[in-house]
Amino acid sequence: MPSSAAAPILETDRLILRLPKAEDFDRYAELLADETAARYIGGCQPRAAAWRKFLQQPGAWLLQGFGMFSVVERAGGRWLGQLGPWRPEGWPGNEIGYAFHPDAWGQGYAVEAAVAAIDWAFEALHWDDIIHCIDPANLPSQNVARRLGAVCRGPGRLPAPFEDHPIEIWGQTRAQWHEHRKRFA
């Protein structure tokens, strides 16, 4: 998608996935300030550093034509997290990444949003394979990946400056997704 093309808005029963907006930042900063929530996504960040990190996704959309969506509730518009296609320089594959505000955990939002984002990535981006880079100790994230039909492919490596962070690569092919996707119909 060229940078001048309109970005998609994806909708599910409970959620809207759209480009990040400045109004999402307060809740994003809360996410990155929470020690437990930020543990596997680069660690706690002060507000000013969180702002710089927040700007990565709109930049990815502008330059690559994709990036993580802001995930908001259809009822009320509360920002819940970010999720979607992610492929920075040197990344080990086409990732569907996810990070949610702690007050959104345990409600099925990650799986619901990921189904829409994975469908979109395979259709619009023509990806043949997706991955999730997950710390081996991050059991909730592994559970989301399993529910999405991904399997652990083994250890992986992120590019600098994250090369010392342990990760496992979870993933599936387009064909595997289409077979697993029938469970969500």
Side-chain angles (χ1 to χ4, degrees):
M1 165 178 15
S3 60
S4 61
I9 297 174
L10 309 179
E11 297 188 29
T12 71
D13 289 343
R14 301 182 296 162
L15 307 171
I16 297 172
L17 285 70
R18 58 156 172 77
L19 257 64
K21 296 181 181 180
E23 65 214 38
D24 303 335
F25 176 66
D26 285 336
R27 295 222 354 122
Y28 180 83
E30 289 174 10
L31 166 67
L32 290 188
D34 184 288
E35 188 174 320
T36 302
R39 178 178 180 189
Y40 300 117
I41 56 171
C44 284
Q45 304 276 326
R47 190 172 171 88
W51 175 250
R52 290 188 295 277
K53 188 170 180 174
F54 178 77
L55 294 176
Q56 289 176 341
Q57 294 309 322
W61 277 103
L62 182 66
L63 296 177
Q64 293 179 298
F66 64 88
M68 289 197 200
F69 295 93
S70 276
V71 180
V72 297
E73 287 178 319
R74 286 176 66 116
R78 180 175 62 129
W79 186 89
L80 301 171
Q82 65 178 18
L83 178 144
W86 179 236
R87 190 179 59 209
E89 177 67 27
W91 218 246
N94 296 320
E95 181 166 21
I96 299 294
Y98 39 89
F100 281 80
H101 193 284
D103 67 13
W105 292 355
Q107 299 174 55
Y109 292 133
V111 171
E112 184 175 337
V115 168
I118 292 169
D119 283 347
W120 183 80
F122 281 135
E123 181 180 322
L125 302 177
H126 309 289
W127 286 358
D128 291 320
D129 187 80
I130 60 159
I131 65 167
H132 313 286
C133 299
I134 303 175
D135 187 291
N138 189 347
L139 300 180
S141 188
Q142 292 173 25
N143 289 335
V144 169
R146 272 189 202 93
R147 288 187 61 202
L148 294 169
V151 296
C152 184
R153 296 176 174 172
R157 188 177 180 104
L158 297 177
F162 307 107
E163 68 272 18
D164 294 330
H165 293 237
I167 64 157
E168 293 175 337
I169 304 290
W170 289 69
Q172 61 191 305
T173 66
R174 173 193 297 268
Q176 290 167 329
W177 170 248
H178 286 303
E179 185 59 32
H180 186 79
R181 177 68 172 86
K182 296 172 187 173
R183 299 177 186 177
F184 297 106

